[in-house]
């Protein structure tokens, strides 16, 4: 097998109310600081706590995923707030049972409502309506898991070249 490396970056769409909430937190903390300066310094603590809450919210609200496929290994990293990267999964491609679009019959038995098999699900999609996502059933630490991924064509074709019976494309 040839050496190869395919990387794909997926940015998760922000929730609709997230922007409004973050603006409200900043405005409230600034107003509390101004009120603390004018009236009572006791308002500094809630202003500080609101600023810390905004910081934590901004880190956890901004997620990106990076899929890296290299020499038979698929690695999924989660990037929080463009600062913190953590490897969520390191999967061997030989352990994949099936990769198919979420509506495909090959993954029908793993659906939440109406499926016959129940497995732990991990969602690494962008939540964009125009981007199709794929369901991957694979083994990790001898346990079957279900991954929802936004795989691009080059990554799908590379897996299909090696394991044609396991990949179903649109």
């Amino acid at each position: 097998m040839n050496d190869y490396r395919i990387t794909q970056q997926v940015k998760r769409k922000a929730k609709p109310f997230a922007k409004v909430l973050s603006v409200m937190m900043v405005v409230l903390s600034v107003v509390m600081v101004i009120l603390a300066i004018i009236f009572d310094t006791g308002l500094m603590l809630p202003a500080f706590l609101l600023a810390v809450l905004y910081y934590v919210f901004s880190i956890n609200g901004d997620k990106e995923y990076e899929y890296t496929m290299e020499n038979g290994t698929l690695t999924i990293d989660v990037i929080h707030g463009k600062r913190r990267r953590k490897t969520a999964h390191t999967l061997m491609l030989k352990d994949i049972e099936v990769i198919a679009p979420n509506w495909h019959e090959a993954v029908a038995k793993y659906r939440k409502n109406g499926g016959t098999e129940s497995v732990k699900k991990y969602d690494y999609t962008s939540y964009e309506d125009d981007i199709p996502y794929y369901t991957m059933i694979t083994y990790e630490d001898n346990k079957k898991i279900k991954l929802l991924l936004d795989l691009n064509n080059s990554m799908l074709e590379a897996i299909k070249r090696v394991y044609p019976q396991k990949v179903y494309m649109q």
Side-chain angles (χ1 to χ4, degrees), residues 19-136:
K19 185 74 172 172
V20 174
L21 187 62
S22 63
V23 168
M24 283 177 39
M25 284 191 280
V26 170
V27 169
L28 281 174
S29 63
V30 168
V31 167
M32 283 187 184
V33 167
I34 292 171
L35 289 175
I37 292 170
I38 294 173
F39 296 113
D40 185 15
T41 57
L43 291 174
M44 281 292 191
L45 181 62
F48 174 73
L49 292 175
L50 205 53
V52 168
L53 181 67
Y54 170 75
Y55 176 73
V56 170
F57 180 76
S58 69
I59 287 175
N60 290 326
D62 185 24
K63 280 188 185 177
E64 293 183 23
Y65 306 115
E66 185 176 84
Y67 314 144
T68 305
M69 192 170 66
E70 184 173 17
N71 298 329
T73 304
L74 178 66
T75 305
I76 301 170
D77 292 337
V78 180
I79 304 164
H80 289 282
K82 296 185 177 98
R83 294 185 277 270
R84 292 177 172 78
R85 173 186 295 264
K86 183 180 179 194
T87 300
H89 299 281
T90 302
L91 307 165
M92 300 303 295
L93 292 178
K94 64 180 174 61
D95 295 335
I96 291 175
E97 186 174 305
V98 66
I99 298 175
N102 65 316
W103 49 262
H104 199 275
E105 194 63 33
V107 292
K109 64 181 177 180
Y110 300 104
R111 289 195 183 112
K112 184 175 182 179
N113 298 328
T116 58
E117 288 193 39
S118 177
V119 293
K120 186 159 176 75
K121 179 183 90 168
Y122 299 95
D123 189 353
Y124 300 111
T125 60
S126 64
Y127 288 156
E128 295 288 341
D129 295 332
D130 58 339
I131 298 175
Y133 65 92
Y134 289 83
T135 301
M136 175 189 288

